[in-house]
């Protein structure tokens, strides 16, 4: 099975711009979660989508949003970028049921905001 | 709210020495605990989960509910164990993983 894929792998944006990141989960996985990884804060949960519905949400401002499509692919959007949004954004997928507790992570998208 | 604490940002040990990466959690219920590892230039991957009670790459971890800890141990460190290690907790089947801030393990030859 192919692993979780994320595009693009690298992005450079300037303050005030917006960005869209994409994640393709493992085939058959219906749950997609997004995390922000920074050296100071580690991995912080952004949100989780399951069957096109947001199931969980972390403590991030409304500038961070996401969605999931019927094929389980997911996108996250960050509007009005700030310098502090520079981070590695990780996507993870799992089957999605209450007992499917293993998450598989993608390689991440490294976002740099100048 | 659940919280995972990894008190050491960096742990350096010599090859062949025992390793213990500490993880403490706060959660009033029965959590699922995991250890994830991120080797240089590789993606984050699951190393251990407490329900499996297995040993992976020589690592073991025991859930101590009394001390709310889930420390990761290996009796003899190898150079290839050098990586970033994250402890994570899930409160229930459909809740998100909560990660600690990670410990960088450096094994010195």
């Amino acid at each position: 099975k192919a692993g979780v894929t994320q595009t693009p792998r690298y992005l450079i944006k300037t303050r005030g711009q917006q960005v869209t990141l994409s994640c393709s989960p493992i085939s058959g996985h219906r749950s997609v979660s997004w995390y922000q990884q920074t050296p100071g804060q580690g991995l912080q949960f952004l949100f989780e989508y399951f069957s096109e519905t947001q199931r969980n949400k972390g403590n991030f401002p409304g500038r961070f949003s996401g969605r999931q499509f019927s094929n389980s692919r997911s996108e996250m959007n960050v509007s009005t970028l700030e310098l502090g949004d520079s981070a590695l954004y990780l996507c993870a997928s799992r089957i999605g049921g209450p007992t499917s507790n293993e998450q598989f992570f993608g390689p991440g998208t490294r976002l740099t905001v100048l | 709210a659940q919280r995972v604490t990894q008190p050491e940002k960096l742990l350096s040990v010599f090859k062949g020495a025992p390793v213990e990466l500490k993880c403490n959690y706060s959660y009033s219920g029965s959590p699922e605990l995991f250890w994830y590892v991120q080797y240089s230039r590789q993606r984050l991957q699951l190393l251990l989960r407490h329900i499996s009670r297995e040993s992976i790459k020589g690592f073991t971890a025991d859930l101590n509910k009394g001390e709310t800890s889930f420390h990761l141990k290996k009796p003899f460190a190898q150079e290839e164990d050098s990586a970033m290690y994250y402890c994570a907790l899930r409160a229930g089947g459909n809740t998100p993983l909560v990660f600690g801030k990670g410990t960088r393990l450096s094994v010195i030859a």
Side-chain angles (χ1 to χ4, degrees), chain A residues 4 37 56 94 101 103 105, chain B residues 32 43 49 86 93-94:
Chain A
V4 178
Q37 186 179 25
N56 290 292
R94 61 184 182 128
N101 49 21
Q103 276 191 324
F105 283 82
Chain B
E32 299 172 66
R43 61 184 69 190
R49 45 187 157 180
Y86 292 95
N94 289 332

Side-chain angles (χ1 to χ4, degrees), chain A residues 6-101:
Chain A
Q6 293 185 244
T7 56
R9 294 294 310 279
Y10 302 91
L11 266 178
I12 299 176
K13 293 286 187 178
T14 55
R15 278 182 299 174
Q17 288 187 308
Q18 74 165 17
V19 67
T20 299
L21 313 181
S22 180
C23 171
S24 292
I26 292 171
S27 177
H29 287 194
R30 294 164 65 193
S31 164
V32 174
S33 296
W34 289 90
Y35 294 85
Q36 182 193 67
Q37 186 179 25
T38 58
Q41 298 299 317
L43 284 104
Q44 293 186 286
F45 172 74
L46 281 154
F47 27 67
E48 179 194 9
Y49 286 87
F50 177 76
S51 293
E52 302 179 66
T53 301
Q54 188 179 83
R55 183 157 70 176
N56 290 292
K57 187 177 188 305
N59 189 25
F60 276 80
R63 300 185 298 107
F64 292 81
S65 63
R67 59 178 175 167
Q68 187 179 33
F69 302 95
S70 58
N71 61 359
S72 294
R73 191 176 68 85
S74 177
E75 289 182 347
M76 68 164 279
N77 184 277
V78 188
S79 62
T80 320
L81 284 165
E82 300 177 0
L83 295 178
D85 297 333
S86 294
L88 183 68
Y89 289 87
L90 295 176
C91 165
S93 76
R94 61 184 182 128
I95 293 173
T99 58
S100 64
N101 49 21

